[in-house]
Amino acid sequence: MLKKIVIVGATSAMAEHCARLWVQESPKVLVLAGRDQTKTERVAQDLRVRSPQSEITVQVLNFLDPDCIHEWVEGVTADGVPDIVLIAHGSLPDQMDCQQELGLCEEVLTVNGVSPALFAEAFANPMQRANRGTLAIIGSVAGDRGRKSNYVYGAAKGLVTRYAQGLQHRLARTNVKVVLIKPGPTDTPMTERLKADGVNFAEVSDVAKTIVVGVARGTPLIYTPRKWILIMMIVRHLPRFIFNRMDI
């Protein structure tokens, strides 16, 4: 039987590269969930070429509607829970724009924080009943400490961190694995505008390899690249009087 993998936010560059690695290992049953039919189908077509033996379907839904999410997850899990669920969607708008537009601020908090938690919660219940599966959620190092350069986005990712910790605690005595992934700045279309700021980016293919290995192992927390473990430990523990002088 082919392993079944559901990817929420399949058009994200990280998710797409993870999917390539998964079908490269062996044929899979892939369910690609997206918000845009054309973009998600483009990802599916690429994967079908790479792995003709895989069974790949595209499903489009409203990522902000709790009822829609609940109904969709019930449908996806009706014939059994997936082996892996990867929740990967998000957006990275300009911090200054968020400070000027409350509507945008709300959208960023919802898309990056509330929506991933709703998907995870919807999958957690059937996975707990089945006592199996791995639920992987992409957060960010930005969630480790609020910084003036991106604290709206960081606040949403901080929500994801706390949510994943709680879910890990809830499911600790089951066979369900919850994996929280914290990538550092990565070279994807989402970070395109940051290149002019001189930010060092990790290659998305390298980040995806780390994610796929960590998900296979059920690693509770993945920093990728690994150097961000040390970097964020320092950032989290910097005294406030030093931290507040930093332009980050």
Side-chain angles (χ1 to χ4, degrees):
M1 180 179 294
L2 300 183
K3 183 178 286 187
K4 182 176 181 180
I5 300 175
V6 175
I7 302 178
V8 179
T11 60
S12 99
M14 285 184 201
E16 184 175 1
H17 280 76
C18 287
R20 290 177 183 177
L21 293 172
W22 277 322
V23 299
Q24 184 178 312
E25 291 174 346
S26 62
K28 300 287 192 303
V29 175
L30 282 182
V31 178
L32 306 181
R35 289 174 283 183
D36 183 292
Q37 179 78 38
T38 301
K39 292 180 180 178
T40 312
E41 186 60 40
R42 179 191 57 76
V43 174
Q45 282 295 95
D46 175 78
L47 294 170
R48 290 182 185 117
V49 172
R50 294 171 186 270
S51 179
Q53 291 76 34
S54 291
E55 301 172 16
I56 302 170
T57 58
V58 167
Q59 299 184 9
V60 175
L61 69 152
N62 185 342
F63 280 22
L64 305 181
D65 184 337
D67 292 335
C68 183
I69 292 170
H70 177 72
E71 182 179 352
W72 178 76
V73 170
E74 282 198 331
V76 169
T77 59
D79 59 351
V81 298
D83 297 282
I84 297 171
V85 174
L86 174 64
I87 300 172
H89 61 288
S91 64
L92 183 61
D94 182 77
Q95 169 65 29
M96 290 299 294
D97 290 341
C98 293
Q99 293 171 206
Q100 301 300 322
E101 302 174 34
L102 287 186
L104 177 61
C105 186
E106 179 187 30
E107 179 183 328
V108 172
L109 291 169
T110 304
V111 169
N112 292 291
V114 176
S115 178
L118 292 176
F119 274 104
E121 193 66 21
F123 275 109
N125 291 328
M127 282 182 155
Q128 185 173 19
R129 287 194 295 271
N131 197 28
R132 60 178 295 273
T134 298
L135 184 52
I137 313 170
I138 295 183
S140 171
V141 296
D144 278 19
R145 187 168 186 177
R147 293 175 290 115
K148 64 181 180 182
S149 61
N150 68 349
Y151 63 83
V152 175
Y153 175 78
K157 292 300 187 181
L159 184 156
V160 170
T161 294
R162 289 292 176 267
Y163 172 82
Q165 289 172 342
L167 192 59
Q168 288 171 340
H169 191 202
R170 166 188 161 187
L171 300 175
R173 298 184 182 180
T174 75
N175 291 322
V176 180
K177 304 297 183 186
V178 179
V179 177
L180 173 62
I181 303 149
K182 293 188 177 184
T186 304
D187 190 1
T188 69
M190 195 168 81
T191 59
E192 185 70 27
R193 63 180 175 77
L194 297 178
K195 291 180 180 178
D197 297 335
V199 178
N200 291 321
F201 291 95
E203 292 293 332
V204 65
S205 56
D206 294 336
V207 169
K209 288 176 186 174
T210 305
I211 293 173
V212 168
V213 170
V215 168
R217 294 174 177 169
T219 307
L221 176 60
I222 302 171
Y223 279 90
T224 177
R226 288 180 58 81
K227 67 180 182 181
W228 286 94
I229 297 175
L230 177 61
I231 294 171
M232 296 316 299
M233 183 181 71
I234 294 171
V235 171
R236 286 196 306 273
H237 291 90
L238 276 174
R240 185 175 299 171
F241 73 92
I242 296 176
F243 184 74
N244 285 347
R245 296 175 182 175
M246 300 176 70
D247 191 21
I248 59 175

